[in-house]
Amino acid sequence: VRVTLLAGGVGGARFALGLLDVVGAAAVTIVGNVGDDVELLGLHVSPDLDTCLYTLAGVVHPEQGWGVEGDTREALGVVGRLGGADWFILGDRDIGLHLVRTERLRRGEPLSRVMADVAARMGVGARLLPATDDRLRTRVLTDDGELGFQEWFVGRRAAPPVRRLRFAGTPGARPAPGVLQAIADADRVVLAPSNPFISLDPILAVDGVRAAVQARRADVVAVSPLIGPRAVKGPLGEMLDALGHERSPLGVARYLAPLAGRFVLDQADAGHADRIRALGVEPVTAAALMRDAAARRRLAEAALT
Amino acid sequence: VRVTLLAGGVGGARFALGLLDVVGAAAVTIVGNVGDDVELLGLHVSPDLDTCLYTLAGVVHPEQGWGVEGDTREALGVVGRLGGADWFILGDRDIGLHLVRTERLRRGEPLSRVMADVAARMGVGARLLPATDDRLRTRVLTDDGELGFQEWFVGRRAAPPVRRLRFAGTPGARPAPGVLQAIADADRVVLAPSNPFISLDPILAVDGVRAAVQARRADVVAVSPLIGPRAVKGPLGEMLDALGHERSPLGVARYLAPLAGRFVLDQADAGHADRIRALGVEPVTAAALMRDAAARRRLAEAALT
């Protein structure tokens, strides 16, 4: 069974681990978010892609969910002491990857080719595709003005309420080679338990991707990033409020209903099942908290049933 | 007494330490070599300037003479594993400096301003000026073709004999602000015990610098980088041979005679004194090996007598 996963950061990466465990790495294509990419100190940083990469390579910091376990911050310490921008954490091993990626991008290689090569060298068996090789950046409109995504998320700790999101570079950002085909050819398309507004929407905003997913709606399953009113990680709860959606798995299911024919939600949220079914979406209840490998595996199995 | 020192890498930096000890940091201007600067992984690396910087900031690796003591190489390890160029050693703290410098240069700041700010933040009291803010690169003509300086020095371990050196960007490279004035106004101009071909010549190749030094010849003192036929560090001995000069302090004194009215050589080389005097250069004998702070201080005192 071939699976294509649309994924953002930590939740998506952890779900991908379970998926690989169930169907094998060779059967999985991950289409990753690049809307949170950022240029820092001249480096091209791809936080969501790297979270997937580090997670699948088995080197991710286990508690943080991002960054390399045991990484040091010597370079960033010097940057700070010399008056450079050190508000975004870059580990030394991180920087090694960023240096290689940035140099290759500057020479004109597409991001998808660089990431494929890096993933292979790190022993990642699944295919990890950026949604686009073109420049696409999530911009956050707040009462303090429009901010770059990382400027809002890290720089402002996601505090200013989000009034609107836009994806600079869209329309016009073309899907990276293989993206549309991976969606069209998969036996199952999975929307990972990632924030729909800042992880999935920037993927779906790439030319042709939303239509490609919609065309597969019967085989598309979304996995709830919320348990009850709370996101396992990240600012989704507050964003649902701020953007006028119900702060519950039902709110997310309603938002994703045009794309996904099935919706996996936590057992604790089974009370929402009937109302989800009323949206024309088949609810699937499972244990949604991915606390260990067994839990990740069971959640992936539930998504694929 | 105000002193301006023309200096390359390790020997020049160590000599500078002694000089600061004798006359105080505020009295010293160092005009540093940028001919060995190199772009690596998108980073602007200034090995000679950084050796001076780290030495004067008291953080240099004491045995190596370059790099930061206790620095790690995590980023470079990743670069190598991902197939990037890792033939030139970049420590993690090094990279922090390179990131800050490169970003500021890309924004259009001149190197001299970046280095002045970095030096101040690192507590360096002496003025450290790059010879030029323009692009100047030492190119090494060998039987294997013309190589970039670091490509020859590090990449090829300085093995291919040097047929000729040229300084790409000259003529036309303008002295950085303050360089000509520092040479004109100093009470004493010192040519550090640095390789004359690859450390001093690229400084002297900057528009107006050679003439400015020649105009001060009576107050210019050169310090021998050789003791007997051997360079304390680096490939000078082989280069003297390859370029057709005598491999001795006399060979260096003859090469520098148009610029320096005095020449400090090791006591062991006192036998050359008469022939140096015959060049119109006043010989000064001293203990030239800078094995500790006291030795550095005595050598600086000898240069200033």
Side-chain angles (χ1 to χ4, degrees), chain A residues 41-43 72 74-75 78-79 81-84 92-93 95-97 99-100 103 106 117-118 121-122, chain B residues 41-43 72 74-75 78-79 81-84 92-93 95-97 99-100 103 106 117-118 121-122:
Chain A
L41 302 165
L43 299 172
T72 48
E74 296 294 333
V78 170
V79 166
R81 289 194 287 282
L82 298 183
D92 294 318
R93 289 183 227 169
I95 287 174
L97 165 57
L99 285 169
V100 168
E103 192 190 26
R106 260 198 210 110
D117 183 44
V118 165
R121 286 176 188 269
M122 291 181 72
Chain B
L41 301 165
L43 300 172
T72 48
E74 296 294 334
V78 171
V79 167
R81 290 193 287 282
L82 298 183
D92 294 318
R93 289 183 226 170
I95 287 174
L97 165 57
L99 285 168
V100 168
E103 193 190 26
R106 262 199 208 109
D117 182 44
V118 165
R121 286 175 188 268
M122 292 181 71

Side-chain angles (χ1 to χ4, degrees), chain B residues 21-54:
Chain B
D21 201 17
V22 174
V23 300
V28 175
T29 297
I30 299 166
V31 178
N33 173 37
V34 295
D36 65 338
D37 282 20
V38 62
E39 282 77 31
L40 290 164
L41 301 165
L43 300 172
H44 182 108
V45 181
S46 296
D48 275 5
L49 291 182
D50 292 352
T51 292
C52 287
L53 183 75
Y54 292 152

